[in-house]
Amino acid sequence: MKYTLILLLAGFTSGAQIQKEQLNLMPWPQNIVLNDGNFTLNKNFKVNITGNPNHRIFGGVTRFLRRLDGRTGLFFTQDFVTKLNEVPTAQLQINCSKSGKIGLYEDASYHLDIKENKITIEATSDLGALHGLETLLQLLRNTNKSFYFPNSQISDFPRFTWRGLMIDASRHFQPVDVIKRNLDGMAAMKMNVFHWHLVDDQGWRIEMKKHPKLIELASDGMYYTQEEIKNIVKYADERGILIVPEIDVPGHGTAILTAYPEIGSKVITLTGGTSEKNIQETAIETYGLERNAGIFTPTLDPSNPKTYQILSEIFDEICPLFPGAYFHIGGDENEGKDWDANPKIQEFKKKNKLSTNHELQTYFTMQLVPMLKKYGKELMGWEEILTQNLSKEAIIHSWKGSNEGILPGQSLAEAVKKGYKTVLSNGYYIDLMYPIESHYLNDPIPKGIDLTTEEKARVLGGEAPMWSELTTPETIDSRIWPRTAAIAERLWSAESITDVADMRRRLETVSFRLEELGLTHIRNKEVILRNIANNQNVKSLEEFSNVCEPLKGYTRNKNGTEYQMYSPFTLFADACTPDAKDALDFDAAVTEYLKKQTPENKAKVAAFFSKWITVNKELNDLSANAPLVQPILPLAKKLSDASQELLLVLDNKSVIKPADLKNLIEQCNTKDHADVELAVYASLKKLI
Amino acid sequence: MKYTLILLLAGFTSGAQIQKEQLNLMPWPQNIVLNDGNFTLNKNFKVNITGNPNHRIFGGVTRFLRRLDGRTGLFFTQDFVTKLNEVPTAQLQINCSKSGKIGLYEDASYHLDIKENKITIEATSDLGALHGLETLLQLLRNTNKSFYFPNSQISDFPRFTWRGLMIDASRHFQPVDVIKRNLDGMAAMKMNVFHWHLVDDQGWRIEMKKHPKLIELASDGMYYTQEEIKNIVKYADERGILIVPEIDVPGHGTAILTAYPEIGSKVITLTGGTSEKNIQETAIETYGLERNAGIFTPTLDPSNPKTYQILSEIFDEICPLFPGAYFHIGGDENEGKDWDANPKIQEFKKKNKLSTNHELQTYFTMQLVPMLKKYGKELMGWEEILTQNLSKEAIIHSWKGSNEGILPGQSLAEAVKKGYKTVLSNGYYIDLMYPIESHYLNDPIPKGIDLTTEEKARVLGGEAPMWSELTTPETIDSRIWPRTAAIAERLWSAESITDVADMRRRLETVSFRLEELGLTHIRNKEVILRNIANNQNVKSLEEFSNVCEPLKGYTRNKNGTEYQMYSPFTLFADACTPDAKDALDFDAAVTEYLKKQTPENKAKVAAFFSKWITVNKELNDLSANAPLVQPILPLAKKLSDASQELLLVLDNKSVIKPADLKNLIEQCNTKDHADVELAVYASLKKLI
């Protein structure tokens, strides 16, 4: 039945005119016109490039050919594209008037025109042309025997100039191949800013030649060499992506202070001497890399000239590695506890007429501005850097919202009203396991706050931060993808593109296609499940994972100490993702049934219950030889118990009291097992 | 049913005494004694290191802890092990008397002793200790709720000192992460030599600072930077693995000659001038990277001093990157065609009294010896380098066998009889898709040839070559693993360990555990199948792949031109592997049935037929929206047709002529479809 449905939806005969609603484009283009007819692919398909593009177009086109050939198995004869106008008669003609510069405000538009025998991509620069190639790949369709592109005309350009993804490589180090495959994913989703969070309390991740202690003492041996960084910068450039590095100061400073405790803010009092003569001295605190998650006090000393000397030398070494015009200095979550307790720092505040810690931090931040200016870089920081003395050239990274006790969009609006450029991350925290819908409908331009056109123009765009407290190289892709594709659409497409159901439909294909870039968000799930199942059949685990979601927000890692940075992330919660696959289908079945209680609709709901009863039995069998299955058994039992009774309810055969039935369902509303929750609880409740 | 069987075999209650036959060790240790009782793991499990080991033991122990924690989910409290004697009370005590040197003939033995409350690993060096840790990981067992090691004593050491894997990074470039995860796989299998085939007709893969043309013109932009090479050498060292680089000369020279045509052997004749004066000149040939597979003529000119100048400069740059004592110069498959056709080279031969091309090649090879000696390196080459003038210090790499028209083991025996050290690769060509059994039973000491003890001692061991004509980074792991584990056992374990069925049983767990090292041999199969299925359900493809194997030997890539190096390797044959999973089970069912025609035995055979009939139907349904399924449909139909008739045969209801039945089965013996063959053909034949 499901089969037939897919076939009907897919419109698999090329004779039928395709409707826009059948396309799997993401981000959705600004303008699209579908015409009759198709361009059918064969092995002689070739590409030709004209104009004055940057050299990156050649690699881009070669990769395009390999991906298209991998999907179609046509054995294209064109191999590596390395020159302009190599094949003037090629079916795909790409023309770019100029070489694209990596950075903001660059024209990234393109026009794609597909006709029966000819495809053209016209773009201002290679950057737009690369976007056009991604759109073309997404337009690929097929009959039962051949592949084709539907005749169409697409004019496209981004709504925002900052379409970012941040990866935290400090809390869990993310090796080069993780970064590269995610850059490929970004490029496929027309994202253009990779924010690389390189330093935090849990580790310093850049090789430093003048300050090797940072690596020797504060990286556990896990860091990027400078050559690897250059290599990644080049890789990103080839995909049209700007890299913005982040060195988080003055808070989140444990790693730096592990190497250089002398620039820390904490003083400790030593008491010694004899009973006659009591000696009290202060000494500097020593630090060790943080292994837990949370907000910690280690903070750089803003009153110490050596702090600026070391930072200046660090920037001297790091800035040249990154050709981009922006440098992120963090600046978040400095609670100032060690500042308050340090008499020297209090003295310094008085002397410099800095009445609050916030003003002291601004003083600190302003010292960094010239260090970065020296390399032509503008300073960017999390919203805490914003105070009245801050240079208007700084970019404010807005991240706070309801969780931090302020209205979503509030800090962003304040910043643009004060004249700052801003990037929104509040609402895009993909590490927190919230449903895709919440990110997708979170517009960078805040609703309900009046902003002038000028103020709106200062909203550069948005960025999805992937913090890595609870993710490893094996699981990070499934935390980033496919949800980040929806954020990419929010940042590229028109404001009016907000149909969640349609986005979900398109996402299914988009997510599948991201696999060809090496992303592991789909394939690694079974790896985790096989480990849990002790190499037995994973079917029941797989099915149970389709109704379970990892605990959301900051609830999974209680007090930040349940998981250390070296804890196992090979558990059931690590195999689960937000937007649990079966939960939506179940909710749809329940809704249909409640609307119209036909035998068919009842059967659909009942099928879920029967499945979950079976899953519970099978998980119990599995657990006999798989200790890692044990923690999920109580949850599987709860769902099975509720399912058994609800099957009776459907047949009007339930004899238990309403309160007992309610209780059975309430049992499913728990966060006590295996760090996951049942995503079907809300739908179960609808049935009583 | 299958479930119950697994549970019974697993012996999942810790009360029962484990038998050796239940252990999943590979390579099988030299001596093992199992005792009553167990060491049960809990989160306080810790490791302590004493003695004088190399620093690599710390990383090794830390990785051991993370892997064990990932399997058990126990949340060990010990994090990074960085010092000697950190936890004197630890349950696992490792003691090494000296620091291990990376290279041959190093003592790699260890003694592992597991008692109720204490585990000890005693080893001469950290190299043996690392092997001991791998054995310990393989000993992990479980009840339904806990993990434990069975009390036991193991004394272990390798039979051969050269236990190698070769990866060809030229024909298809294999990025750093591919190499790293395979080094991890090697270490897990106690292999100690990684032979890195870095240059061939299809590409030069090392950054060269003095000779950048090699990269600019002969790599398609795909190469290792020198820093990446150093990084990989370090990574290998940390895992006890020696790297032997290979620069293949004087044949397989297309890549070098693409950059430096002036040292090529081919001359071309140019005819020009006027009708009065005919001018004939010779000029050097120009070369372009080879895109096909095969043996090609481009060969370095051994008579040209510039050849030696360039090679000497190349070795000057490459040798220091590799601290190991061996350098592989290839030397294979030089057919000398361009030498014969070049008058200057013929002249040179005469002048130097070199009567054959073979002698000319030896002359060439001998020029390289001092270039390598300068860096303390011994020369190694494929067996063609062997002639009577060759220095006895060279290592002969024996690769020829039946396919090349000589007896297996013949060239190896000749070499050791002549006083050379040798490494066997004939019989270990894992790229050729032969069944694991053929590799497993291929002993480095040839059977039926008399060798003295001294001669036998010159057999250093063996090496599995992974040539990459038909493999990409996405598929290479499934070509290497798990079959290479069986070769590793042949090279480590006693000669008498030859029970194929027992090896297969152990391999199932070993293969599963290799996943935790990041190897993709299991997980990437579905990625390929999803692409073929166009994101529909892959079940039928999966089931069909379990009876299909890629064409063997050199039959898949007809004339070496069916696949170019840039062709798609995303096809059904790329998802299939040797030792097709269901083929063995089917053969067992057929054998049982033919022995005893009980209803149960009949039902088992019939179940396969029913499955294959269904698979055929489902593949046809799938193909309606998946063009890449089309090429396998004829094969699925043949199996289905034969199955339908054989179902009738089982029930004595078949009415067709014996010849027609035979014909139906013979139809299954085909190599005409999708570059795969049906692995069940031989078993089907048994039924008639």
Side-chain angles (χ1 to χ4, degrees):
Chain A
M1 179 61 205
K2 208 173 171 189
Y3 238 50
T4 326
L5 196 68
I6 290 171
L7 294 182
L8 289 172
L9 283 172
F12 59 97
T13 55
S14 71
Q17 170 62 28
I18 302 291
Q19 303 300 310
K20 280 188 202 177
E21 296 67 33
Q22 293 174 290
L23 298 176
N24 296 311
L25 300 172
M26 189 173 290
W28 192 258
Q30 303 290 349
N31 301 291
I32 172 164
V33 177
L34 280 171
N35 301 316
D36 278 346
N38 301 310
F39 176 102
T40 299
L41 276 162
N42 64 45
K43 71 177 291 169
N44 297 316
F45 176 77
K46 288 193 180 65
V47 192
N48 190 51
I49 306 165
T50 55
N52 299 293
N54 182 282
H55 193 264
R56 72 173 69 87
I57 193 68
F58 299 115
V61 166
T62 302
R63 292 193 302 276
F64 163 84
L65 279 169
R66 292 292 85 73
R67 285 162 69 193
L68 192 57
D69 209 13
R71 294 180 188 187
T72 60
L74 286 170
F75 288 73
F76 294 152
T77 56
Q78 191 174 23
D79 52 357
F80 295 85
V81 183
T82 56
K83 289 194 202 78
L84 286 179
N85 217 15
E86 264 181 336
V87 199
T89 58
Q91 296 90 333
L92 169 54
Q93 294 285 334
I94 298 174
N95 185 58
C96 310
S97 37
K98 70 177 194 90
S99 172
K101 284 204 192 84
I102 300 299
L104 304 185
Y105 307 116
E106 190 73 359
D107 184 342
S109 67
Y110 67 92
H111 299 270
L112 169 64
D113 189 349
I114 303 173
K115 290 201 171 68
E116 210 83 15
N117 300 306
K118 188 120 199 159
I119 304 174
T120 54
I121 293 177
E122 281 282 343
T124 308
S125 84
D126 40 275
L127 300 173
L130 291 177
H131 295 319
L133 288 169
E134 294 296 341
T135 301
L136 186 55
L137 280 168
Q138 291 186 347
L139 282 169
L140 182 68
R141 303 189 68 79
N142 58 278
T143 68
N144 61 338
K145 285 193 177 149
S146 69
F147 291 92
Y148 68 93
F149 300 116
N151 287 358
S152 50
Q153 287 163 297
I154 291 179
S155 289
D156 202 10
F157 54 86
R159 180 174 165 222
F160 292 104
T161 191
W162 190 295
R163 304 177 304 279
L165 170 67
M166 188 208 82
I167 289 182
D168 172 5
S170 172
R171 290 181 174 81
H172 276 96
F173 181 65
Q174 304 297 334
V176 172
D177 54 314
V178 174
I179 304 299
K180 284 188 174 176
R181 65 189 188 226
N182 278 287
L183 287 169
D184 280 305
M186 289 176 66
M189 291 300 116
K190 303 185 171 66
M191 300 177 85
N192 68 333
V193 180
F194 174 57
H195 169 185
W196 205 352
H197 187 81
L198 286 157
V199 177
D200 214 301
D201 295 301
Q202 291 81 358
W204 176 278
R205 305 298 181 199
I206 322 172
E207 175 193 23
M208 298 301 289
K209 307 210 168 176
K210 262 200 194 154
H211 293 278
K213 278 207 280 182
L214 285 164
I215 285 310
E216 288 159 20
L217 304 175
S219 79
D220 296 313
M222 292 180 284
Y223 60 91
Y224 307 102
T225 66
Q226 294 194 3
E227 193 174 308
E228 283 172 339
I229 288 177
K230 285 183 210 165
N231 181 297
I232 287 175
V233 167
K234 182 167 168 274
Y235 195 89
D237 178 297
E238 286 164 357
R239 285 147 184 84
I241 295 170
L242 168 74
I243 298 193
V244 177
E246 178 183 350
I247 304 296
D248 200 351
V249 285
H252 289 273
T254 312
I256 300 175
L257 298 179
T258 296
Y260 293 102
E262 61 269 36
I263 61 170
S265 300
K266 186 159 186 180
V267 281
I268 47 176
T269 308
L270 302 172
T271 313
T274 63
S275 56
E276 275 106 74
K277 200 180 170 191
N278 199 327
I279 303 173
Q280 268 213 344
E281 283 186 5
T282 58
I284 54 163
E285 174 68 299
T286 56
Y287 302 82
L289 282 188
E290 186 55 54
R291 303 304 188 188
N292 293 312
I295 304 175
F296 305 100
T297 54
T299 307
L300 275 56
D301 179 355
S303 73
N304 187 344
K306 194 161 182 205
T307 301
Y308 301 107
Q309 186 207 321
I310 289 178
L311 285 178
S312 169
E313 287 165 6
I314 284 173
F315 287 131
D316 282 345
E317 207 169 322
I318 297 178
C319 284
L321 301 174
F322 297 95
Y326 306 91
F327 202 108
H328 203 299
I329 56 94
D332 56 320
E333 299 183 323
N334 167 26
E335 300 191 328
K337 286 183 195 159
D338 289 354
W339 289 358
D340 290 339
N342 184 325
K344 247 184 55 201
I345 294 176
Q346 292 308 311
E347 187 96 353
F348 182 85
K349 271 170 76 175
K350 265 184 225 154
K351 212 182 100 188
N352 289 277
K353 303 204 170 84
L354 302 163
S355 57
T356 65
N357 281 344
H358 205 173
E359 282 179 26
L360 178 55
Q361 183 167 338
T362 305
Y363 171 91
F364 168 87
T365 306
M366 295 307 289
Q367 308 308 303
L368 308 189
V369 172
M371 299 180 196
L372 298 172
K373 264 278 170 281
K374 190 173 157 190
Y375 296 96
K377 299 210 189 302
E378 276 187 40
L379 179 145
M380 176 169 186
W382 300 102
E383 62 184 76
E384 288 95 325
I385 68 165
L386 179 57
T387 51
Q388 76 195 96
N389 299 326
L390 184 73
S391 151
K392 288 286 186 295
E393 287 169 50
I395 299 179
I396 303 301
H397 197 163
S398 173
W399 70 276
K400 293 189 179 179
S402 331
N403 189 60
E404 291 73 29
I406 67 166
L407 287 176
Q410 184 185 326
S411 66
L412 175 127
E414 276 170 23
V416 294
K417 279 178 194 291
K418 283 179 182 154
Y420 293 96
K421 286 170 286 180
T422 62
V423 170
L424 182 70
S425 273
N426 179 253
Y428 298 134
Y429 272 49
I430 47 179
D431 62 312
L432 298 185
M433 302 291 141
Y434 290 122
I436 192 166
E437 188 170 342
S438 70
H439 302 311
Y440 186 59
L441 299 178
N442 182 49
D443 202 279
I445 307 290
K447 304 226 156 76
I449 302 180
D450 261 349
L451 294 179
T452 65
T453 310
E454 214 176 22
E455 284 161 357
K456 282 183 183 169
R458 289 197 203 104
V459 179
L460 299 179
E463 184 178 296
M466 181 65 226
W467 301 105
S468 65
E469 283 90 345
L470 298 176
T471 194
T472 65
E474 285 68 43
T475 61
I476 193 168
D477 293 359
S478 75
R479 276 55 193 132
I480 299 176
W481 307 105
R483 282 176 304 146
T484 296
I487 297 174
E489 175 156 294
R490 177 60 39 237
L491 301 173
W492 176 285
S493 306
E495 193 179 351
S496 59
I497 304 294
T498 52
D499 181 336
V500 174
D502 186 60
M503 177 273 288
R504 282 192 206 278
R505 179 190 63 71
R506 288 178 286 133
L507 194 68
E508 205 153 309
T509 301
V510 165
S511 179
F512 151 61
R513 287 302 186 193
L514 284 169
E515 276 208 295
E516 84 191 352
L517 302 168
L519 288 165
T520 63
H521 57 303
I522 302 173
R523 75 190 84 176
N524 276 8
K525 179 174 182 170
E526 286 211 357
V527 176
I528 301 172
L529 297 183
R530 267 192 290 274
N531 185 54
I532 296 170
N534 203 10
N535 204 27
Q536 300 172 90
N537 192 327
V538 299
K539 187 177 143 276
S540 56
L541 278 169
E542 176 98 48
E543 278 175 356
F544 196 53
S545 75
N546 289 338
V547 293
C548 290
E549 296 181 356
L551 296 184
K552 297 176 201 325
Y554 296 97
T555 58
R556 176 171 176 189
N557 190 9
K558 288 176 202 85
N559 304 316
T561 58
E562 188 184 348
Y563 292 85
Q564 275 77 36
M565 295 311 145
Y566 47 82
S567 293
F569 291 92
T570 50
L571 309 175
F572 188 64
D574 301 300
C576 295
T577 60
D579 311 303
K581 212 173 147 234
D582 282 1
L584 265 176
D585 292 345
F586 177 64
D587 193 63
V590 167
T591 306
E592 275 306 299
Y593 171 71
L594 292 177
K595 240 190 269 172
K596 213 171 167 192
Q597 306 193 4
T598 64
E600 291 76 25
N601 286 343
K602 189 172 95 174
K604 276 187 203 164
V605 174
F608 279 100
F609 294 138
S610 304
K611 175 152 95 172
W612 297 332
I613 293 164
T614 307
V615 162
N616 179 50
K617 280 190 202 121
E618 289 177 348
L619 286 175
N620 271 284
D621 292 347
L622 201 63
S623 74
N625 187 25
L628 290 180
V629 175
Q630 297 290 343
I632 61 175
L633 292 182
L635 192 62
K637 183 175 186 309
K638 285 172 181 176
L639 182 59
S640 175
D641 288 349
S643 296
Q644 277 174 326
E645 198 56 43
L646 283 164
L647 271 183
L648 297 177
V649 171
L650 288 181
D651 287 339
N652 288 320
K653 289 182 184 158
S654 173
V655 293
I656 66 171
K657 290 180 209 150
D660 290 342
L661 176 62
K662 191 165 173 259
N663 183 44
L664 273 177
I665 287 168
E666 282 309 312
Q667 290 289 313
C668 294
N669 183 24
T670 171
K671 302 184 180 197
D672 290 345
H673 310 292
D675 287 343
V676 296
E677 59 188 51
L678 282 172
V680 292
Y681 162 68
S683 313
L684 291 175
K685 256 177 72 170
K686 292 181 184 171
L687 285 168
I688 55 170
Chain B
M1 179 61 206
K2 206 172 171 189
Y3 239 52
T4 326
L5 196 68
I6 291 171
L7 295 181
L8 288 172
L9 283 171
F12 59 97
T13 55
S14 73
Q17 170 62 28
I18 302 290
Q19 303 300 308
K20 280 188 203 176
E21 296 67 33
Q22 294 175 289
L23 298 176
N24 295 312
L25 301 172
M26 188 172 291
W28 192 257
Q30 304 289 348
N31 300 290
I32 172 163
V33 177
L34 280 170
N35 302 316
D36 278 345
N38 301 311
F39 176 101
T40 299
L41 277 162
N42 64 45
K43 72 177 289 169
N44 296 317
F45 176 78
K46 287 194 181 64
V47 191
N48 190 50
I49 307 164
T50 55
N52 299 293
N54 180 282
H55 193 265
R56 71 172 71 85
I57 192 67
F58 299 115
V61 166
T62 302
R63 290 193 302 275
F64 163 84
L65 279 169
R66 292 293 85 74
R67 285 162 69 192
L68 192 57
D69 209 12
R71 294 180 188 187
T72 60
L74 286 169
F75 287 74
F76 294 152
T77 56
Q78 192 174 21
D79 52 358
F80 294 84
V81 183
T82 57
K83 288 195 203 77
L84 287 178
N85 217 14
E86 264 181 335
V87 198
T89 59
Q91 297 92 330
L92 169 54
Q93 295 284 335
I94 299 174
N95 184 57
C96 311
S97 35
K98 70 177 194 87
S99 172
K101 284 203 190 86
I102 301 299
L104 303 185
Y105 307 116
E106 191 73 0
D107 184 341
S109 68
Y110 67 92
H111 299 269
L112 169 64
D113 190 349
I114 302 173
K115 290 201 170 68
E116 210 82 18
N117 299 306
K118 187 120 198 159
I119 304 174
T120 54
I121 294 177
E122 282 282 343
T124 308
S125 83
D126 40 275
L127 300 174
L130 291 178
H131 295 320
L133 288 169
E134 294 295 341
T135 302
L136 186 56
L137 280 168
Q138 292 185 347
L139 283 168
L140 182 68
R141 303 189 67 79
N142 58 279
T143 67
N144 62 337
K145 285 193 177 149
S146 69
F147 292 92
Y148 68 93
F149 299 116
N151 286 358
S152 50
Q153 286 163 299
I154 292 178
S155 290
D156 202 10
F157 54 87
R159 180 175 166 220
F160 292 103
T161 190
W162 190 295
R163 304 178 303 282
L165 171 67
M166 187 208 83
I167 289 182
D168 171 5
S170 172
R171 291 181 173 82
H172 275 98
F173 181 65
Q174 304 296 335
V176 171
D177 54 314
V178 173
I179 304 299
K180 284 189 172 174
R181 67 190 187 226
N182 278 287
L183 287 168
D184 280 305
M186 288 177 66
M189 291 300 115
K190 301 184 171 66
M191 300 177 86
N192 67 334
V193 180
F194 174 57
H195 169 185
W196 205 352
H197 187 80
L198 285 158
V199 177
D200 214 302
D201 295 300
Q202 292 81 359
W204 177 278
R205 305 297 181 199
I206 321 170
E207 175 193 23
M208 298 302 290
K209 306 209 170 177
K210 263 200 193 153
H211 293 279
K213 277 206 282 182
L214 285 164
I215 285 309
E216 288 160 18
L217 304 175
S219 80
D220 297 314
M222 292 181 283
Y223 60 92
Y224 306 103
T225 67
Q226 294 194 3
E227 193 173 309
E228 282 171 341
I229 288 178
K230 285 183 210 164
N231 181 296
I232 287 174
V233 166
K234 181 165 169 277
Y235 195 90
D237 178 296
E238 286 164 357
R239 284 147 185 84
I241 295 171
L242 167 73
I243 298 193
V244 177
E246 178 183 350
I247 304 296
D248 199 351
V249 285
H252 289 273
T254 313
I256 300 176
L257 298 179
T258 297
Y260 294 102
E262 61 268 36
I263 62 171
S265 299
K266 186 160 186 180
V267 281
I268 47 175
T269 308
L270 302 172
T271 312
T274 63
S275 57
E276 274 106 75
K277 201 179 167 189
N278 198 328
I279 304 172
Q280 267 212 347
E281 283 186 6
T282 58
I284 54 163
E285 174 68 299
T286 56
Y287 301 82
L289 282 189
E290 186 55 55
R291 303 303 187 189
N292 293 311
I295 305 174
F296 305 99
T297 53
T299 307
L300 275 57
D301 179 354
S303 73
N304 187 345
K306 196 165 180 201
T307 300
Y308 301 107
Q309 186 206 321
I310 289 178
L311 284 177
S312 170
E313 287 166 5
I314 284 174
F315 288 130
D316 281 346
E317 207 169 322
I318 297 179
C319 283
L321 301 174
F322 296 96
Y326 307 91
F327 202 108
H328 203 301
I329 56 96
D332 56 320
E333 298 183 322
N334 167 26
E335 300 191 327
K337 285 185 197 160
D338 289 352
W339 289 358
D340 291 339
N342 184 325
K344 248 184 55 201
I345 294 176
Q346 290 309 310
E347 186 97 352
F348 183 86
K349 271 170 75 175
K350 266 183 223 155
K351 211 183 101 188
N352 289 276
K353 303 203 172 83
L354 302 163
S355 57
T356 65
N357 282 342
H358 205 174
E359 284 180 26
L360 178 56
Q361 183 167 337
T362 305
Y363 171 91
F364 169 86
T365 306
M366 295 307 290
Q367 308 308 304
L368 309 188
V369 172
M371 299 180 195
L372 298 172
K373 263 279 169 281
K374 190 173 157 190
Y375 297 96
K377 299 212 189 301
E378 276 187 40
L379 180 145
M380 176 169 187
W382 301 102
E383 62 184 75
E384 288 96 324
I385 68 165
L386 179 57
T387 51
Q388 77 194 96
N389 300 325
L390 184 74
S391 151
K392 288 286 188 295
E393 287 170 50
I395 299 179
I396 304 301
H397 197 162
S398 174
W399 70 276
K400 293 189 180 180
S402 330
N403 188 60
E404 291 73 29
I406 67 165
L407 288 175
Q410 185 185 326
S411 66
L412 175 127
E414 276 169 24
V416 295
K417 279 178 193 293
K418 284 179 180 154
Y420 293 96
K421 288 171 284 179
T422 62
V423 171
L424 182 69
S425 273
N426 179 252
Y428 298 134
Y429 272 49
I430 47 178
D431 61 312
L432 299 185
M433 303 290 143
Y434 290 122
I436 192 166
E437 189 169 342
S438 69
H439 303 310
Y440 185 60
L441 298 178
N442 182 49
D443 202 277
I445 307 289
K447 304 228 155 76
I449 303 179
D450 261 349
L451 295 179
T452 65
T453 310
E454 214 176 23
E455 284 161 356
K456 280 183 185 168
R458 289 197 202 104
V459 180
L460 299 180
E463 184 178 295
M466 180 65 225
W467 301 105
S468 64
E469 284 91 345
L470 298 176
T471 194
T472 64
E474 285 68 42
T475 62
I476 193 167
D477 293 0
S478 75
R479 275 58 194 131
I480 298 176
W481 306 106
R483 283 176 304 147
T484 297
I487 297 174
E489 175 156 293
R490 177 60 40 238
L491 301 173
W492 176 286
S493 305
E495 194 180 349
S496 59
I497 304 294
T498 52
D499 182 334
V500 175
D502 187 60
M503 176 273 288
R504 283 191 206 278
R505 179 191 60 73
R506 290 177 285 133
L507 193 68
E508 206 154 309
T509 301
V510 165
S511 180
F512 151 61
R513 287 302 187 195
L514 284 169
E515 275 208 296
E516 85 192 351
L517 301 167
L519 287 166
T520 62
H521 56 304
I522 302 172
R523 75 190 84 176
N524 276 9
K525 180 175 180 169
E526 285 211 357
V527 176
I528 300 172
L529 297 183
R530 267 192 290 276
N531 184 53
I532 296 171
N534 204 8
N535 205 26
Q536 301 173 87
N537 192 327
V538 300
K539 188 176 141 278
S540 56
L541 277 169
E542 177 100 48
E543 280 176 354
F544 196 53
S545 76
N546 288 339
V547 292
C548 291
E549 296 180 356
L551 297 185
K552 296 175 200 327
Y554 296 98
T555 58
R556 176 171 176 189
N557 190 9
K558 288 177 202 85
N559 306 317
T561 58
E562 190 185 347
Y563 291 85
Q564 275 78 37
M565 295 310 145
Y566 46 82
S567 295
F569 291 92
T570 50
L571 309 175
F572 188 63
D574 302 300
C576 295
T577 60
D579 310 303
K581 212 173 146 231
D582 282 2
L584 265 176
D585 292 344
F586 177 64
D587 193 63
V590 167
T591 306
E592 275 306 299
Y593 171 72
L594 293 176
K595 242 190 269 172
K596 213 173 167 190
Q597 305 193 5
T598 64
E600 292 76 24
N601 285 345
K602 189 172 94 175
K604 275 187 202 163
V605 174
F608 280 100
F609 294 137
S610 304
K611 176 152 93 170
W612 297 332
I613 293 164
T614 307
V615 162
N616 178 50
K617 278 189 205 122
E618 289 177 349
L619 285 175
N620 271 284
D621 292 347
L622 202 62
S623 73
N625 187 24
L628 290 179
V629 175
Q630 297 291 344
I632 61 176
L633 292 182
L635 192 62
K637 181 174 187 310
K638 286 171 181 177
L639 182 59
S640 176
D641 288 349
S643 297
Q644 276 174 327
E645 198 55 43
L646 283 164
L647 271 183
L648 297 177
V649 170
L650 288 181
D651 286 339
N652 288 319
K653 289 183 184 159
S654 172
V655 293
I656 65 170
K657 291 181 209 150
D660 290 343
L661 176 62
K662 192 167 172 259
N663 184 45
L664 274 177
I665 288 169
E666 282 309 312
Q667 291 288 314
C668 293
N669 182 24
T670 171
K671 303 184 181 198
D672 290 344
H673 310 292
D675 286 343
V676 296
E677 59 189 50
L678 281 172
V680 292
Y681 161 69
S683 313
L684 291 175
K685 256 175 75 168
K686 292 181 186 172
L687 286 168
I688 55 170

